[in-house]
Amino acid sequence: SSDNSTVYFKVQLGAFRENVPFDVIDKFLELSNKRITHIKDADGLTCFFAGELKDFNEALKLKDEIIAAGIKDAFVIAVKGDKKIPVEQAKKLLK
């Protein structure tokens, strides 16, 4: 469909097969105002995300804030509905 209302950028904080380490949970709690969400993916990994942004540059700023807060592996992803899509595709859809 051509409905782009469900296209967002998020910052992936991490993906965990087992329990999330306590030091990581502490960092997530410090970021709790960043709208943290999580899903269990098809591979059984629990993936954590922050934000739900329409603007790619805002997503990059959020990623930088999160890295500065100590979550070094953070990166921007794009979603449409509940599916991950390529970031470049999301940028085109949101133009």
Side-chain angles (χ1 to χ4, degrees):
S1 86
S2 62
D3 177 18
N4 296 332
S5 67
T6 62
V7 178
Y8 295 98
F9 298 104
K10 297 183 177 199
V11 178
Q12 184 163 327
L13 305 175
F16 304 89
R17 187 161 304 285
E18 304 296 325
N19 292 336
V20 182
F22 284 118
D23 62 320
V24 174
I25 289 173
D26 285 343
K27 287 185 177 123
F28 286 0
L29 288 172
E30 289 169 26
L31 296 166
S32 61
N33 64 334
K34 303 294 185 203
R35 197 170 173 187
I36 294 185
T37 55
H38 69 280
I39 58 152
K40 200 159 197 87
D41 75 5
D43 300 321
L45 293 172
T46 303
C47 302
F48 288 83
F49 307 98
E52 195 168 279
L53 302 148
K54 290 287 190 184
D55 183 294
F56 181 69
N57 290 323
E58 292 296 314
L60 288 177
K61 276 189 212 150
L62 178 58
K63 177 195 70 141
D64 291 343
E65 279 178 50
I66 288 168
I67 288 173
I71 299 174
K72 302 290 182 225
D73 298 331
F75 60 95
V76 175
I77 66 153
V79 291
K80 181 172 184 178
D82 57 1
K83 302 258 187 284
K84 268 191 194 181
I85 63 171
V87 167
E88 291 306 316
Q89 182 185 348
K91 283 178 172 173
K92 285 187 186 115
L93 290 169
L94 291 170
K95 274 207 169 22

